[in-house]
Amino acid sequence: MSEIKYPELAEQGKMNLEIAELRMEALLEIRKKFEKEKLFEGIRIGMALHITKETGILVRTLQAGGAKIAITGCNPLSTQDDVAAALAEEGVEVFGYKGETSEDYYKYLNKIIDFKPHITIDDGCDLVSEIHLKHPELIDSIIGGCEETTTGIIRLNAMENDNALKYPMIAVNDNKTKHLMDNYYGTGQSTLDGIIRASNILLAGKTTVIAGYGSCGKGCALRARGLGANVIVTEVDNFCALQAQMDGFRVMKMEEAAPLGDIFITVTGNRDVITAEHVKKMQEGAILANSGHFDNEIDVKGIEKAAKSTRRVRPMLDEYIFGNKKIFIAGEGRLVNLAAAEGHPSEVMSLSFCGQALACEYLVKNKDNLEAKVYQLPEEIDDHIAGLQLAANQIEIDELTPEQIKYLNSWQEGT
Ligand SMILES: NC(=O)c1ccc[n+]([C@@H]2O[C@H](COP(=O)([O-])OP(=O)(O)OC[C@H]3O[C@@H](n4cnc5c(N)ncnc54)[C@H](O)[C@@H]3O)[C@@H](O)[C@H]2O)c1
């Protein structure tokens, strides 16, 4: 039995799902194939993914292949209650609501474990980690799992290195059609969307400090510049720092950027990137937001401790008083694009979720040959996803001629 908060929102949820479906044509192509093949007949898929309208379309795609689905969120603030209500009405087992307590978060994760999934789909590795730590008895019946995000892959690699990983995992995030699209274009747009919805601040002319110049940071920097911001990047990796500089951004330490920024965005997958010590140096009115997976990139607890007082001033904006200064944190320091906006737009999630759907297919088709390791999907699958999206966008590209293929595979021909 589902546990959701607002069943009366189901009608709104259905309309949002309809809109998402219009924009996720590549995923709908995969759904048609699944409908014919019924590859997931008898298979239970347990998901810990943001419960958004786009995830709803992934759920329907896997159901079309015959799967039974149970889903919970992977962040206490990201569930869209209307979508949760609509999916529950469709017979999916849904557990979650926006603003969950930590207790409910883990209670719902355990509802997915009670469902005894054959395949797990995670965003951040909480489900896999809970199964490995507390429910090892389930592992024998699990075919494998799929992981959606960079932070989850980092945790899985650590598990593999510790010989702790006990079933095969597909690193969906490592698809080019995922991290070079979703993390870049999706996080870029939706992070700024979240900050704007939380604060309604104008970006033009504002100094925006972006911590981390990986896939997400590059996307945020690109879009912030597009809106007229002066972008500063902070990094710990020499190459990424150099890339940021050559892309035309100022690069410096967070300590130096702290007094200069109007807006701060963390997207590092690392902890304590902005601490109370940095905040003390910031200007009046500075806004802090995190778009990395966990809420430890900005040390919210440390900042709260060091602040004179704090209060909520808008639905997703908290004010902290330092001396005579007001500093703001958007979305409680949790994924701002999901806490204060609606997450990535459907078009980009279509690509990511083609990856999830085809990863499930890959696990089922190859279940007898996979070990307890972290796998990447073969490049042909990534290429197929890009092709599906191009077709959806009605774009045709050139094809290699036989002479070109021969040329590319030869070494004799030169100057
Ligand atoms: N908001 C979203 O919807 C969304 C979407 C995709 C990924 N993510 C999450 O965003 C985070 C970043 O993902 P990514 O794909 O960009 O990862 P990435 O590995 O491509 O980039 C992270 C960058 O942060 C840098 N970094 C690490 N510690 C740092 C520090 N202390 N200061 C400055 N820079 C530091 C790294 O050197 C790296 O270049 C992850 O937690 C990921 O799970 C969020």
Side-chain angles (χ1 to χ4, degrees):
M1 270 287 278
S2 291
E3 276 187 40
I4 55 163
K5 206 150 192 179
Y6 301 104
E8 66 277 16
L9 296 181
E11 274 314 304
Q12 179 60 57
K14 276 188 214 157
M15 290 190 282
N16 270 327
L17 285 159
E18 264 178 46
I19 292 176
E21 221 154 35
L22 269 182
R23 300 174 184 161
M24 299 178 83
E25 291 141 301
L27 187 58
L28 296 193
E29 282 305 309
I30 293 177
R31 187 196 290 183
K32 278 186 214 153
K33 179 170 115 82
F34 284 180
E35 257 160 13
K36 277 194 215 126
E37 295 174 358
K38 295 286 178 203
L39 192 73
F40 303 120
E41 216 64 89
I43 289 184
R44 291 186 296 274
I45 302 183
M47 294 180 171
L49 287 179
H50 303 296
I51 306 177
T52 63
K53 58 188 187 305
E54 291 74 23
T55 307
I57 309 307
L58 173 65
V59 167
R60 287 178 175 175
T61 302
L62 295 168
Q63 277 178 325
K68 293 252 174 310
I69 312 276
I71 179 166
T72 185
C74 57
N75 182 296
L77 293 184
S78 66
T79 295
Q80 293 168 2
D81 288 313
D82 60 333
V83 173
L87 292 176
E89 210 176 87
E90 286 177 19
V92 181
E93 291 200 37
V94 188
F95 304 95
Y97 60 91
K98 189 175 176 94
E100 271 163 28
T101 58
S102 177
E103 200 187 354
D104 279 347
Y105 180 84
Y106 279 97
K107 184 175 106 185
Y108 294 153
L109 208 55
N110 276 279
K111 293 278 186 190
I112 306 303
I113 291 168
D114 295 344
F115 180 67
K116 297 194 169 39
H118 301 111
I119 293 178
T120 59
I121 304 185
D122 248 306
D123 184 330
C125 195
D126 278 349
L127 181 56
V128 166
S129 134
E130 190 81 352
I131 290 172
H132 278 72
L133 289 171
K134 298 191 190 142
H135 298 276
E137 74 285 355
L138 220 65
I139 287 170
D140 279 348
S141 58
I142 295 182
I143 298 169
C146 312
E147 172 54 55
E148 172 76 3
T149 197
T150 316
T151 284
I153 308 293
I154 292 171
R155 293 178 79 188
L156 288 172
N157 287 336
M159 285 176 81
E160 190 179 337
N161 289 340
D162 274 356
N163 287 323
L165 186 65
K166 301 296 178 205
Y167 63 81
M169 290 295 308
I170 310 285
V172 174
N173 179 72
D174 292 354
N175 289 354
K176 284 190 285 193
T177 49
K178 203 291 183 173
H179 71 278
L180 297 180
M181 298 277 156
D182 162 319
N183 302 25
Y184 183 61
Y185 300 106
T187 312
Q189 176 169 320
S190 61
T191 298
L192 297 181
D193 184 15
I195 293 170
I196 292 167
R197 290 197 208 191
S199 65
N200 199 27
I201 193 165
L202 179 77
L203 267 95
K206 295 289 189 319
T207 298
T208 301
V209 179
I210 298 177
Y213 202 66
S215 303
C216 295
K218 288 183 175 81
C220 292
L222 176 80
R223 294 305 177 218
R225 172 156 67 188
L227 286 170
N230 296 308
V231 175
I232 294 176
V233 170
T234 73
E235 251 298 343
V236 292
D237 177 271
N238 288 337
F239 180 74
C240 293
L242 199 55
Q243 262 189 318
Q245 194 219 350
M246 294 214 182
D247 283 343
F249 302 119
R250 280 182 289 166
V251 178
M252 60 185 78
K253 291 183 178 217
M254 181 57 82
E255 204 181 297
E256 291 164 34
L260 305 179
D262 299 296
I263 299 165
F264 293 81
I265 301 171
T266 52
V267 261
T268 67
N270 207 346
R271 56 178 298 174
D272 302 331
V273 178
I274 297 182
T275 63
E277 289 314 303
H278 295 122
V279 173
K280 284 178 192 160
K281 295 184 178 151
M282 288 179 187
Q283 316 176 44
E284 157 101 323
I287 296 175
L288 280 58
N290 167 52
S291 213
H293 189 76
F294 286 120
D295 62 342
N296 54 1
E297 301 212 8
I298 300 172
D299 178 17
V300 179
K301 284 197 188 89
I303 291 170
E304 197 173 335
K305 230 169 152 188
K308 231 168 35 188
S309 66
T310 164
R311 59 179 179 151
R312 176 145 296 188
V313 290
R314 282 166 61 93
M316 273 296 147
L317 198 68
D318 295 327
E319 176 195 87
Y320 293 79
I321 303 289
F322 279 81
N324 296 324
K325 275 185 326 198
K326 290 176 176 171
I327 304 290
F328 299 92
I329 299 183
E332 298 178 15
R334 295 192 187 275
L335 289 165
V336 72
N337 58 334
L338 283 136
E342 293 176 61
H344 296 355
S346 309
E347 294 84 344
V348 91
M349 288 317 297
S350 177
L351 287 166
S352 308
F353 287 162
C354 282
Q356 289 289 0
L358 295 178
C360 290
E361 178 186 48
Y362 186 83
L363 282 171
V364 171
K365 287 191 170 164
N366 295 284
K367 63 176 186 295
D368 297 329
N369 306 316
L370 298 173
E371 296 167 38
K373 292 198 320 205
V374 182
Y375 289 90
Q376 291 194 6
L377 282 180
E379 261 203 50
E380 308 86 77
I381 294 184
D382 216 356
D383 184 62
H384 174 61
I385 297 171
L388 285 176
Q389 186 64 39
L390 281 174
N393 296 345
Q394 294 169 335
I395 293 172
E396 289 186 30
I397 62 168
D398 288 326
E399 280 173 35
L400 290 170
T401 62
E403 291 73 25
Q404 286 172 329
I405 295 174
K406 195 168 159 221
Y407 174 76
L408 291 173
N409 286 302
S410 66
W411 54 270
Q412 292 91 344
E413 222 177 298
T415 315

